[in-house]
Amino acid sequence: MNDKNSQKIVDIIQNWARKHSIWVLAYGTGCGAIEIPPTMTSRYDAERLGVRGAATPRQADVLLISGYLTVKTIKRVIRVYEQMQDPKYVIGFGSCTINGGMYYDSYNTINVLDRYLPVDVYINGCMPRPEAVLSGFAQLQKRIAAGRATGAQHYKENLEWYRANQKKIIPNWVMPDYNW
Amino acid sequence: MNELKEVIIKRIKANFADAAERNDFKDNRLDIAVKKETIPSILFYLKDEMGFIHLSDIICVDWLEEGELEVVFILWSPVDKIKVFVRTRLDRDNPVMDNVDMIWRQANTYEREMREMFGVQFTGLVAPDEFILEDWQGPPPFRRDFDTAAYAEKTFWQRPGREDAQDVRETIAKRDGEEIPDFAKKYSR
Amino acid sequence: MREKATTLYIGPQHPGITGNMMVKVKVEGDTIVKARTEVGYLHRAFEKLQESRNWLQSFTLLCRFCVPEPDPVEESYARAVELLEGREVPERAKYIRVLMLELARMGAYMLWFGGQNASLGLYTMGQWSVGDRNYILDLFEELTGGRIYHMYIWPGGVRRDLPEGFADKVLRTMDYLEKRLKDYDDLMFENTIFQKRTQGVGVISKEKAVEWGVVGPVLRGCGIKSDIRIDDPYEVYDKLDFIVPTHEGGDIWSRALVRRQEIRQSIRIIRQVIEKMPSGEYYNRIPNPFKWTLPKGDAYARTESVRGEVGMYIVSDGSTHPRRTHFRGAAYVHGITLLENILVGENVADVSAIMNSLGVCPPEIER
């Protein structure tokens, strides 16, 4: 039963099940958290795609980084990301995660999220409309179905590179060097 | 309103000899400059006996060229409906001032922020050291001689800009094997 | 036998807190003994960034100070710049500004309904009120182009005139929302569970309110009538007819009642504005923004927002860039010293309800 074809069938069914039930962690890290309630309520209903909120990292599938990240927050976000269990994805929301946005010259916000956490899908805008959020989730679903949402795998394989970048901006590193 | 302002200014000047008044602005307010040692007593007097019970704001301004830091208190009287600005100057190399949070409790938060962002020391302030910044090892960041753009350039990795003028949507569509719909094509370059 | 005290971190990632901040509480059993807040997770150093942008460019940063309701901040900045320079604003622009402020006030109150009830477990209210708020955001989108961040009220007036047919759309939305208020009453205010969970919780007495510098609906819920729109009127509020509701009690229940009645007053104000709006200019043009300098001096202007007093202080030294700007939000006072004081003696299950009712919004605290 372990030949390549049956493995492919198992993958297809597994990805189909995963893409229709994406639970978002309830963590509003920045400005973008204000467009999430309209996306989840009746007009732009996101629950028809299977997207709903989850209360703790252990129960969540996707970490929605909504906006800019300060140095103090990214220390907590890394811990939360490593507490989430596989399969997990990261969505970068807003233009501040792409290249710094309008706070590019602030001494407290990071500019490119990709160097510190593996990102699967970016949604650009300032702020993105609820339709753009739904389109971002649909894009994530396509990537899951094609088997290409491998951010978590990339993080585990290149852990030293990510850790070196994280330690460069966080002065007081209190977390272990291994991945949870 | 002008007679009311005259009365208040006369009473303040009678009690505090070193209160200097400024008159060169267009909005309806009183403006007094005092030395830093008089600050607790004049604020107490304004709150208890003149009716300015509401503290609106406390601000610190950095005058780098004159070598001084200026602290401004903005008070409001709900009964007389008038604002007063109380100013004082501190030496920039060693800014020390008295603590006023026994007069208004919320001044504790303003003083914590000024201590962290400008380096002003308040004698008698009881509060944890870190307020907004965590593990910050540089100089007080809101002073004029701290260049925030240079610091951001050095510490955080910047994404380089694109050198060519290709349309991002076409690249993504080609990579994913999709087609851009017809109505969107007329906006492509 | 006394129980040992445990420390709980109601931390940055929590479904019950109103934003990205941490409240560290020490509990004995179920009762809170000591509380400390920790902020700084959202600090972007706005005031430092504004010093490297000129007077008009720094206006684009301002909306992000208070995320649910960005218009009072723009209004404070515009009025402070006009005070400093002595610029006149045309009459029609003043009426349009009042319209925008009242619509933003209603939208923020509806979002607040969702948050306050979700902290008690009534999730239906959030679905209704956030869904109805979308109609107000549609009006904003037609007028300014953006749902959340408008950048519409700027020094000298407003950015563009009302389009045709806009006044009818506003009046139809107001009729619809007025009918919905009765549904909100049935679900929320006549609900026994809501009443039992909010009466007597998070009480602030009158003396404490004055001593700790409380402003806004929290002060009006303690029985003191204080509102910047009648104490220190700005724009055309002195020509409009509205009351300022107050309630005795000082607990979460009276603050919720005050907010509910202010929605009704906002609908009344908007109808009067549409009726009385004059025609004329909507903008007093500023010169070339790259060469626009303001005279030396400073100015302070404040506006009544959903949470209380929102003030902006600007200092100019005669150049094209601001010397120093400072923003004062109501959550700065409510969220740190007052919250740490009120939480002592309360049940740990009520922390979320108290934070929602005080209107603690972390982007305003640490800017």
Side-chain angles (χ1 to χ4, degrees):
Chain A
M1 252 319 251
N2 273 344
D3 55 336
K4 253 178 108 183
N5 280 338
S6 51
Q7 192 60 33
K8 220 163 95 169
I9 294 177
V10 167
D11 271 341
I12 290 176
I13 299 179
Q14 202 180 45
N15 288 340
W16 170 84
R18 280 176 185 166
K19 81 178 188 187
H20 280 300
S21 141
I22 302 181
W23 286 19
V24 180
L25 179 65
Y27 191 8
T29 54
C31 300
I34 198 75
E35 281 282 44
I36 301 298
T39 310
M40 302 283 182
T41 54
S42 51
R43 191 194 267 198
Y44 303 105
D45 195 6
E47 212 163 321
R48 58 195 153 137
L49 301 177
V51 172
R52 54 161 288 182
T56 66
R58 300 286 194 198
Q59 297 159 349
D61 291 322
V62 91
L63 180 59
L64 190 71
I65 307 277
S66 53
Y68 60 95
L69 277 183
T70 60
V71 171
K72 203 167 177 179
T73 312
I74 198 170
K75 203 166 156 185
R76 278 87 178 158
V77 166
I78 293 171
R79 197 173 200 136
V80 161
Y81 180 69
E82 296 183 354
Q83 278 183 346
M84 283 164 67
Q85 289 164 337
D86 270 350
K88 55 187 178 181
Y89 319 103
V90 174
I91 295 186
F93 191 80
S95 35
C96 289
T97 52
I98 300 179
N99 59 2
M102 56 171 39
Y103 312 120
Y104 67 97
D105 55 347
S106 162
Y107 57 85
N108 209 23
T109 57
I110 63 168
N111 278 349
V112 178
L113 183 59
D114 222 322
R115 308 275 291 189
Y116 311 103
L117 283 178
V119 178
D120 290 303
V121 170
Y122 280 113
I123 303 177
N124 64 346
C126 184
M127 20 203 66
R129 290 187 56 115
E131 286 104 339
V133 178
L134 292 177
S135 153
F137 275 113
Q139 183 80 12
L140 180 66
Q141 284 183 341
K142 279 198 211 121
R143 282 183 80 106
I144 295 175
R148 287 203 340 235
T150 54
Q153 192 70 22
H154 191 255
Y155 189 75
K156 287 188 203 108
E157 287 164 4
N158 302 44
L159 188 63
E160 292 86 25
W161 183 75
Y162 280 107
R163 278 276 186 263
N165 286 339
Q166 289 161 3
K167 281 189 190 170
K168 186 160 171 277
I169 55 165
I170 299 175
N172 192 8
W173 183 258
V174 295
M175 285 180 280
D177 277 333
Y178 53 86
N179 186 356
W180 286 44
Chain B
M1 186 57 89
N2 279 330
E3 306 86 41
L4 184 62
K5 278 160 81 166
E6 298 283 326
V7 163
I8 298 179
I9 285 283
K10 221 167 33 181
R11 278 184 67 183
I12 294 176
K13 282 204 169 138
N15 280 302
F16 297 96
D18 66 335
E21 191 204 347
R22 280 177 36 176
N23 271 350
D24 52 341
F25 26 77
K26 300 180 185 62
D27 60 336
N28 183 25
R29 67 179 199 225
L30 294 163
D31 200 311
I32 312 169
V34 293
K35 292 212 193 34
K36 69 177 188 190
E37 289 85 13
T38 334
I39 282 280
S41 37
I42 194 171
L43 290 179
F44 217 16
Y45 178 72
L46 286 170
K47 179 179 185 217
D48 268 351
E49 302 186 34
M50 304 289 302
F52 289 95
I53 57 175
H54 179 72
L55 173 72
S56 275
D57 212 352
I58 309 181
I59 307 112
C60 182
V61 186
D62 188 359
W63 295 103
L64 179 61
E65 306 86 18
E66 302 167 25
E68 290 183 323
L69 291 176
E70 181 179 15
V71 177
V72 182
F73 293 81
I74 304 183
L75 311 176
W76 163 257
S77 158
V79 172
D80 292 329
K81 309 232 193 300
I82 194 168
K83 278 193 285 236
V84 64
F85 283 42
V86 181
R87 309 167 180 268
T88 179
R89 293 259 172 156
L90 308 170
D91 183 28
R92 201 166 180 272
D93 297 317
N94 185 18
V96 180
M97 226 181 99
D98 283 324
N99 175 22
V100 296
D101 73 356
M102 73 290 283
I103 311 179
W104 285 284
R105 306 281 193 128
Q106 67 261 32
N108 191 323
T109 317
Y110 290 104
E111 289 174 359
R112 274 169 87 183
E113 187 182 346
M114 283 200 277
R115 180 172 68 179
E116 186 166 36
M117 296 293 171
F118 284 93
V120 179
Q121 299 300 323
F122 288 93
T123 51
L125 178 66
V126 175
D129 266 338
E130 285 184 343
F131 180 42
I132 290 181
L133 303 171
E134 194 186 43
D135 303 324
W136 176 257
Q137 285 126 0
F142 270 34
R143 291 202 174 189
R144 288 292 276 195
D145 45 4
F146 176 73
D147 190 353
T148 171
Y151 181 87
E153 185 83 32
K154 195 178 57 154
T155 327
F156 305 117
W157 193 75
Q158 317 275 351
R159 196 186 283 279
R162 289 205 326 246
E163 281 100 27
D164 52 4
Q166 21 161 326
D167 194 347
V168 174
R169 287 176 305 165
E170 283 173 19
T171 322
I172 295 180
K174 239 187 304 203
R175 185 184 70 199
D176 286 346
E178 285 175 357
E179 276 280 323
I180 304 183
D182 280 333
F183 64 84
K185 278 209 176 109
K186 69 176 175 154
Y187 295 112
S188 298
R189 256 175 282 178
Chain C
M1 181 177 85
R2 267 185 65 188
E3 295 143 342
K4 214 165 70 111
T6 329
T7 310
L8 294 178
Y9 293 85
I10 306 186
Q13 189 271 313
H14 195 278
I17 49 169
T18 58
N20 201 357
M21 65 185 275
M22 180 165 89
V23 181
K24 197 160 72 167
V25 292
K26 216 177 201 177
V27 284
E28 275 180 10
D30 231 359
T31 323
I32 297 179
V33 178
K34 188 168 143 163
R36 282 283 168 265
T37 55
E38 189 176 313
V39 293
Y41 294 92
L42 294 170
H43 177 65
R44 297 155 270 186
F46 268 124
E47 300 165 359
K48 185 85 187 171
L49 293 183
Q50 282 188 335
E51 290 175 12
S52 47
R53 288 152 168 80
N54 65 31
W55 290 102
L56 197 63
Q57 286 168 341
S58 65
F59 147 80
T60 59
L61 282 178
L62 289 176
C63 334
R64 275 94 180 157
F65 271 122
C66 172
V67 178
E69 195 194 12
D71 292 285
V73 188
E74 298 178 12
E75 160 86 12
S76 300
Y77 182 75
R79 277 211 342 265
V81 170
E82 284 154 15
L83 262 181
L84 190 55
E85 198 187 9
R87 178 175 287 272
E88 287 287 323
V89 174
E91 194 73 11
R92 185 178 167 88
K94 289 190 185 170
Y95 276 90
I96 298 180
R97 280 181 179 181
V98 170
L99 176 70
M100 288 289 283
L101 287 174
E102 294 300 321
L103 280 175
R105 191 187 307 269
M106 285 179 67
Y109 274 143
M110 291 192 168
L111 193 68
W112 173 83
F113 270 153
Q116 169 80 73
N117 287 298
S119 71
L120 301 172
L122 181 64
Y123 297 108
T124 312
M125 192 65 187
Q127 300 276 341
W128 283 5
S129 64
V130 173
D132 285 339
R133 178 175 173 255
N134 274 320
Y135 292 112
I136 300 183
L137 295 183
D138 281 345
L139 289 175
F140 279 143
E141 193 178 2
E142 178 170 350
L143 183 61
T144 70
R147 281 165 53 105
I148 310 278
Y149 294 137
H150 314 135
M151 286 175 275
Y152 182 72
I153 299 178
W154 64 0
V158 293
R159 219 166 90 190
R160 49 175 81 96
D161 206 352
L162 302 180
E164 275 191 31
F166 189 72
D168 291 329
K169 283 196 186 127
V170 170
L171 290 174
R172 262 185 296 163
T173 312
M174 292 300 116
D175 290 335
Y176 170 74
L177 289 172
E178 203 172 2
K179 273 193 293 223
R180 289 291 277 170
L181 283 179
K182 176 151 190 336
D183 290 333
Y184 296 163
D185 279 345
D186 283 339
L187 177 63
M188 180 175 155
F189 288 99
E190 300 181 10
N191 192 340
T192 330
I193 301 182
F194 184 80
Q195 286 175 2
K196 279 203 174 7
R197 273 207 73 175
T198 56
Q199 283 170 351
V201 176
V203 177
I204 308 179
S205 64
K206 263 193 195 176
E207 296 80 25
K208 197 177 200 175
V210 172
E211 186 192 330
W212 289 76
V214 170
V215 287
V218 184
L219 189 61
R220 294 195 275 273
C222 298
I224 303 178
K225 183 168 177 174
S226 148
D227 188 334
I228 301 180
R229 295 178 286 175
I230 51 171
D231 287 338
D232 193 13
Y234 51 94
E235 306 299 347
V236 287
Y237 278 109
D238 40 2
K239 300 188 190 135
L240 297 172
D241 194 19
F242 62 101
I243 62 165
V244 167
T246 58
H247 267 276
E248 304 284 333
D251 51 6
I252 302 183
W253 169 249
S254 21
R255 288 176 227 149
L257 279 178
V258 164
R259 286 172 168 126
R260 153 74 177 81
Q261 286 169 1
E262 286 195 1
I263 297 186
R264 191 72 191 77
Q265 295 300 313
S266 284
I267 296 182
R268 211 169 142 203
I269 294 178
I270 291 176
R271 285 194 175 129
Q272 288 175 42
V273 162
I274 298 276
E275 195 186 303
K276 293 187 181 169
M277 174 145 357
S279 57
E281 285 289 314
Y282 59 91
Y283 181 36
N284 184 357
R285 284 197 80 86
I286 57 172
N288 183 358
F290 291 104
K291 302 200 180 73
W292 181 33
T293 62
L294 292 182
K296 274 198 194 181
D298 57 3
Y300 179 72
R302 54 194 191 147
T303 319
E304 175 81 14
S305 87
V306 153
R307 291 187 197 93
E309 175 179 339
V310 157
M312 193 90 194
Y313 175 77
I314 57 176
V315 178
S316 157
D317 57 356
S319 72
T320 50
H321 292 243
R323 178 85 197 198
R324 170 95 167 102
T325 56
H326 180 81
F327 167 76
R328 177 248 199 257
Y332 197 71
V333 171
H334 296 171
I336 303 184
T337 38
L338 185 68
L339 188 66
E340 292 177 2
N341 187 286
I342 285 189
L343 279 181
V344 174
E346 297 283 346
N347 198 327
V348 74
D350 286 329
V351 169
S352 180
I354 295 177
M355 280 179 73
N356 265 299
S357 119
L358 287 182
V360 174
C361 174
E364 252 185 20
I365 299 179
E366 64 233 15
R367 307 179 292 277

